[in-house]
Amino acid sequence: MKALAVHAGPRALARIREQGLKPQDVRVIPAAAGGPKGLVLSPLDQFIFGEWLAGTGHTVHLMGASIGAWRMATACLDDPAAAFAQMADDYIHQEYEHEPGKQPKAKHVSEAFGAKLVERFGGRTHEVLNHPRYRLHVFTSRGRHIMRREGRITTPLGYLGAFATNAISRKAMGGWLERVIFSDARDAVPLHLHDYRTHTVALDASNLAASILASCSIPFWLEAVHDIPGAPRGAYWDGGITDYHLHLNYASMADGLVLYPHFQKTVIPGWLDKAFKHRHRATERLDNVVVLAPTPEWIATLPNGKLPDRNDFKHYGDDTAARVKAWSKAVQQSQQLRDDFAALVEGGKVEALPL
């Protein structure tokens, strides 16, 4: 059974069918939000960044939201294979104090997760910000108007307004939330960002950990991060709200391919678009994108017959050991994704399907 499927937009499909998939062709790597689902990409990440791209000398832009931002920052560390293994272990073993039958308090989760980010990136910001080839871009969502500060009443009202306007038009949601990208100061994002209200901030040592924490701050599960250094004042939340799977205008790039290790074939624009199936379709923006995704048949072999997800916290409740065992098994089985990709690129001929 094949674990990995390759899907590509028209331009990318023609190119890899003719020339294969080569590391020097990759100019951008996006990384989606999706919480625990991203765990299955850990062995693949270890191979792509630890081996496959390691011998190249060109610039690659790494763009991530939520867990994707954490993954892409990890890719910039000096030993990415070891760092990705540590990241998976950190995520699998996360545990927060809580009252029986209730979810942990958002303040506690934010403090614990923030401390973990400082532990992993503190003292290593120079590795991320000065990587010779990688340029990191962290996507966050900044509240506007009544959402400028987090509030017990205003925040739920604001998200209700965002949901209602997004149902009419994705662009209209920009009245409530804007996309703020904390971007490597050396090189700008190499594509057009006219699809949605966007603000760009220079990424530096003072805001690296805070921007990643903000990008991972799921509303009502974690607290918003306020007034990040160097950025407009306000409340910052999960980058996946505005850019769930980073369905951006990659076709506007000057050259090269986009390599997208993903946990599914579809690339959904925003978190609030999950309910709108017509927004899940591939568009011309993905013309030069190559998506690497697990096959449904392989996913069915994982514990519980599915990818790890946030519902597992409720499913396992206080039985943390059982959740840890299931998630660890899923990551172990995900080695096959790595092996399948390695065989594809080493063989020279890549079998790909249209997006």
Side-chain angles (χ1 to χ4, degrees), residues 43 141 201 203-204 221 296 323 353:
S141 304
V201 175
L203 189 63
D204 60 30
W221 282 79
R323 177 181 57 78
L353 300 168

Side-chain angles (χ1 to χ4, degrees), residues 15 21-27 52-53 56-58 256-257:
R15 183 164 178 167
L21 182 58
K22 302 173 183 177
Q24 58 266 32
D25 292 335
V26 176
R27 293 292 182 273
W52 193 60
L53 285 176
T56 62
H58 66 288
L257 296 177

Side-chain angles (χ1 to χ4, degrees), residues 4 42 55 60-61 73 80 119 144 210 216 244 277 290 300 319 324 333:
L4 186 73
S42 181
V60 181
H61 293 266
E119 180 183 346
R144 303 185 67 226
C216 295
Y244 189 40
K277 300 297 182 183
V290 179
D319 192 354
V324 166
Q333 289 183 234

Side-chain angles (χ1 to χ4, degrees), residues 288-332:
N288 55 338
V289 175
V290 179
V291 173
L292 310 177
T295 64
E297 295 80 12
W298 177 80
I299 291 174
T301 70
L302 296 178
N304 303 310
K306 65 176 186 61
L307 297 171
D309 61 40
R310 200 167 290 111
N311 291 328
D312 289 338
F313 286 107
K314 291 183 178 180
H315 174 74
Y316 290 104
D318 292 335
D319 192 354
T320 303
R323 177 181 57 78
V324 166
K325 182 179 179 181
W327 286 8
S328 298
K329 178 65 174 175
V331 172
Q332 181 184 359

Side-chain angles (χ1 to χ4, degrees), residues 104-242:
K105 294 185 182 300
K107 180 178 176 61
H108 170 59
V109 178
S110 289
E111 289 174 348
F113 181 58
K116 181 60 68 176
L117 289 176
V118 170
E119 180 183 346
R120 296 300 173 217
F121 293 101
R124 304 185 70 180
T125 55
H126 63 286
E127 297 175 33
V128 178
L129 300 173
N130 298 298
H131 196 283
R133 291 174 291 112
Y134 300 153
R135 304 292 185 263
L136 178 65
H137 309 281
V138 176
F139 282 60
T140 67
S141 304
R142 174 178 174 263
R144 303 185 67 226
H145 306 305
I146 68 168
M147 299 181 71
R148 284 179 297 180
R149 315 303 293 182
E150 187 171 27
R152 186 172 60 86
I153 296 174
T154 55
T155 297
L157 285 175
Y159 275 105
L160 182 62
F163 181 85
T165 52
N166 182 68
I168 300 168
S169 163
R170 173 166 157 75
K171 265 196 170 183
M173 190 178 70
W176 300 91
L177 292 154
E178 70 176 353
R179 169 197 291 148
V180 178
I181 308 172
F182 290 81
S183 189
D184 192 304
R186 294 172 293 178
D187 293 288
V189 173
L191 47 92
H192 296 160
L193 295 168
H194 309 315
D195 63 309
Y196 190 79
R197 183 184 178 91
T198 302
H199 191 92
T200 303
V201 175
L203 189 63
D204 60 30
S206 72
N207 59 32
L208 175 63
S211 65
I212 298 172
L213 175 59
S215 189
C216 295
S217 292
I218 306 163
F220 313 113
W221 282 79
L222 285 84
E223 291 184 328
V225 178
H226 288 85
D227 305 333
I228 299 176
R233 289 176 59 83
Y236 289 78
W237 281 281
D238 196 310
I241 301 166
T242 54

